Amino acid sequence: MAVQFSVTPQETTLQRYEHLYINGEWVTPLDGGYIETIDPASGKPWAVAPIGGIQDIDRAVLAARTALKGPWGKMPGHERAALIRRLADLFSAATEDLAIIESRDNGNPVRDHRNSLAAQVQWYQWFASLADKTQGTTIPIDDSVHAFTTRVPIGVVGAIIPWNAPMLSTCLKVGAALAAGCTVVVKPAEQTPVSALLLARLVHEAGFPPGVYNVVPGLGTVAGAHLVQHPDVNKISFTGEGSTAKRMLRDGSENLKRFSFELGGKAPHIIFADADIESAINAATASAWRLTGQSCALGSRVLVERSIYERVVEAFRERAKCVRVGLPSREDVHMGPQSNEAQLKKTLSYIAVAQQEGARLVTGGKRISTPELASGYFVEPTVFADVTNQMRVAREEIFGPVACLIPFDDEEEAIAIANDTIYGLTAGVWTQDLGRAHRVSSRIEAGTVWVNTYSFLRWSTPYGGVKSSGWGRENGINALEPYLETCTTVISKTGKFPDLYAD
Ligand code: NAI
Ligand code: MG
């Protein structure tokens, strides 16, 4: 069945997507239905998308389980690699359509999506390159046995995807899971259901066997929860909110499901007075407002040494004026709207909280009400100074374009503030003192520390959180680890087993 996905950025007629993708077929929901998905730039629906219910999840899981027993389960790694490479090529050719769909669904500028999607082609290539390297080891014990390990796919994986970077999140989970030989059921966020369906078309064209990749958009509390509870799902790979992860641990406890979690952050971005201040400000302002602040990796706590504090505050104020906020379809726009109404409300409420708690509003702080943007979910790039690390805006994830600038007096204090958080995903350090770069980066509790750069993330760099930022790592040479089990085989060379009851 042909599925039409082409859409232009300014399309005003409602797009209709009718089908879930299960067992290699486009099917109508059995017990789900349809939802309107909102374009956050206009606040109006741009598409109608299918959502699956309990029965739809059940048949997707059955298809994924069955596929493991079929040709996919027997396919050698280099053939899986070839399929993933074909997918990468098809993905590369589809990036323009995908960028527009992602932008309509989540509001980030088309050009940001285009850049991210181009990188995802490399990501798929990387996963393909790992698919035939899931080697075990031989274990020297003694001459009586041959002991070795094999790496086997963990089984059926439920990939539960957030709305802030739908295709990137899907790529990191699905690319690795398929390379490892697993099968997947993807549950995109209800706010951004469409792009994973387009990916299904590409998977189909690439020639993956039926049931290997299934997509069931749906509500988190219905389709998502059922996927987590499902006894035939071996593992859940999730990116999203910490409270959702805790709920999942309870829901998935029945069959001791495996989990990988990527759960956000409150990254410290530390600027010492001895830094290349210009570059530090470039990076810190980019990371405060990029993707409208809706990324777990961004430096939402900017820690600045007191001697340069007011200078940095001033630079943030000036730079905020240069941020072009506008319709995400425009090529010259730096920042789009918040991705959904709930997030808009959340961001505005944290802006109010910051003021109540005594932070100094330097610039921004309001929803944008110009005629062109008033119906969308646009918020001004916002800067708060004199933030203390005890304030809620320094402790809780805002996920909006809100920079919080916290002064510090010395290295010890900077490290103490940086680590005084439940999170530990990423961090940034700006200093030209080599010793300090090593001292500070080694003491910060975070999965990734960037020194004199920021948001540098590639397929080959392991990514994930310590503390409450998550479990496990995506990317890197060990990217398939979370989707594999190690099994040990011991073979006797004699085949003889003594009678233990002989005397
Ligand atoms: P969420 O964690 O509720 O949603 C993420 C995904 O989980 C969606 O696909 C959703 O349908 C699904 N889900 C929700 N409840 C579920 C359940 N009980 N069982 C199974 N699946 C479920 O996040 P939400 O509410 O969309 O965003 C709230 C906040 O979470 C944001 O403001 C942000 O602070 C944080 N967040 C962090 C992300 C990250 O990249 N680490 C991504 C998205 C949100
Ligand atoms: Mg939620």
Side-chain angles (χ1 to χ4, degrees), residues 160-164 187-191 218-221 223-226 228 238-242 244-245 247-248 251 262-265 294-296 340 343 346 397-399 425:
I160 300 188
I161 308 296
W163 42 261
N164 60 325
K187 209 296 286 169
E190 40 273 72
Q191 299 88 349
L219 303 180
T221 48
H226 191 59
V228 174
F238 169 67
T239 297
E241 195 174 18
T244 313
R247 172 75 199 262
M248 287 178 172
D251 282 352
E262 202 274 79
L263 305 176
Q294 298 169 145
S295 165
C296 43
N340 51 73
Q343 184 56 50
K346 183 175 167 188
E397 194 173 43
I398 303 174
F399 236 50
L425 187 62

Side-chain angles (χ1 to χ4, degrees), residues 38 65-66 89 126 130 148 155 160 175 201 210 212 220 237 248 257 278 297 322 360 374 378 395 406 420 458 478 498:
I38 307 296
R65 174 63 54 199
T66 308
D89 290 344
W126 172 259
L130 297 175
F148 60 96
I160 300 188
R201 194 185 73 183
V212 171
S237 183
M248 287 178 172
K257 217 171 246 85
E278 180 83 25
C322 306
R360 165 163 54 113
F378 294 87
R395 305 200 82 74
I406 304 174
D420 180 15
R458 295 289 189 278
N478 298 318

Side-chain angles (χ1 to χ4, degrees), residues 163-456:
W163 42 261
N164 60 325
M167 274 294 91
L168 179 60
S169 257
T170 307
C171 169
L172 301 192
K173 297 177 188 344
V174 168
L178 296 184
C182 295
T183 57
V184 291
V185 177
V186 178
K187 209 296 286 169
E190 40 273 72
Q191 299 88 349
T192 54
V194 182
S195 54
L197 292 168
L198 199 163
L199 184 63
R201 194 185 73 183
L202 307 178
V203 166
H204 195 90
E205 276 175 39
F208 283 82
V212 171
Y213 173 90
N214 308 274
V215 188
V216 184
L219 303 180
T221 48
V222 181
H226 191 59
L227 190 57
V228 174
Q229 287 160 9
H230 206 294
D232 231 13
V233 173
N234 302 90
K235 182 197 168 88
I236 294 289
S237 183
F238 169 67
T239 297
E241 195 174 18
S243 61
T244 313
K246 289 178 193 164
R247 172 75 199 262
M248 287 178 172
L249 286 176
R250 293 193 291 274
D251 282 352
S253 64
E254 199 54 49
N255 71 338
L256 290 178
K257 217 171 246 85
R258 275 74 169 137
F259 286 98
S260 300
F261 290 140
E262 202 274 79
L263 305 176
K266 198 70 204 172
H269 203 153
I270 309 173
I271 307 176
F272 286 98
D274 63 18
D276 170 345
I277 309 281
E278 180 83 25
S279 286
I281 288 166
N282 289 347
T285 52
S287 120
W289 300 314
R290 247 195 93 234
L291 307 174
T292 324
Q294 298 169 145
S295 165
C296 43
L298 298 180
S300 47
R301 289 185 297 151
V302 186
L303 277 46
V304 187
E305 193 161 355
R306 203 175 296 277
S307 60
I308 56 164
Y309 186 72
E310 283 309 327
R311 180 175 158 199
V312 172
V313 170
E314 224 19 67
F316 264 73
R317 183 208 305 277
E318 286 306 310
R319 197 61 59 89
K321 293 182 195 152
C322 306
V323 179
R324 281 192 296 277
V325 185
L327 296 178
S329 54
R330 300 239 168 105
E331 288 295 324
D332 64 345
V333 146
H334 296 126
M335 202 176 99
Q338 299 275 264
S339 281
N340 51 73
E341 198 178 7
Q343 184 56 50
L344 170 75
K345 288 184 176 151
K346 183 175 167 188
T347 298
L348 292 174
S349 88
Y350 273 111
I351 288 171
V353 164
Q355 286 167 292
Q356 284 152 23
E357 288 186 320
R360 165 163 54 113
L361 180 64
V362 176
T363 184
K366 291 191 297 297
R367 183 175 180 176
I368 296 178
S369 58
T370 57
E372 189 178 47
L373 305 184
S375 65
Y377 308 140
F378 294 87
V379 178
E380 293 172 337
T382 299
V383 180
F384 281 107
D386 304 341
V387 173
T388 73
N389 205 46
Q390 305 317 313
M391 292 180 183
R392 280 183 61 201
V393 282
R395 305 200 82 74
E396 299 169 20
E397 194 173 43
I398 303 174
F399 236 50
V402 183
C404 295
L405 275 61
I406 304 174
F408 68 84
D409 286 309
D410 57 28
E411 200 174 295
E412 276 308 311
E413 194 191 6
I415 294 167
I417 296 173
N419 289 338
D420 180 15
T421 171
I422 60 165
Y423 291 110
L425 187 62
T426 58
V429 180
W430 288 88
T431 176
Q432 299 206 79
D433 176 334
L434 185 60
R436 171 173 274 169
H438 280 284
R439 279 194 307 274
V440 177
S441 61
S442 68
R443 288 179 62 196
I444 290 182
E445 297 157 359
T448 298
V449 180
W450 291 295
V451 179
N452 296 338
T453 183
Y454 205 82
S455 284
F456 189 98

Side-chain angles (χ1 to χ4, degrees), residues 464-485:
V466 303
K467 305 195 315 198
S468 290
S469 285
W471 287 357
R473 296 290 176 270
E474 297 183 300
N475 308 330
I477 198 86
N478 298 318
L480 309 195
E481 277 306 296
Y483 302 96
L484 294 166
E485 300 273 24

Side-chain angles (χ1 to χ4, degrees), residues 140-154:
I141 300 172
D142 61 45
D143 208 29
S144 67
V145 295
H146 177 53
F148 60 96
T149 62
T150 45
R151 314 282 288 127
V152 300
I154 210 163

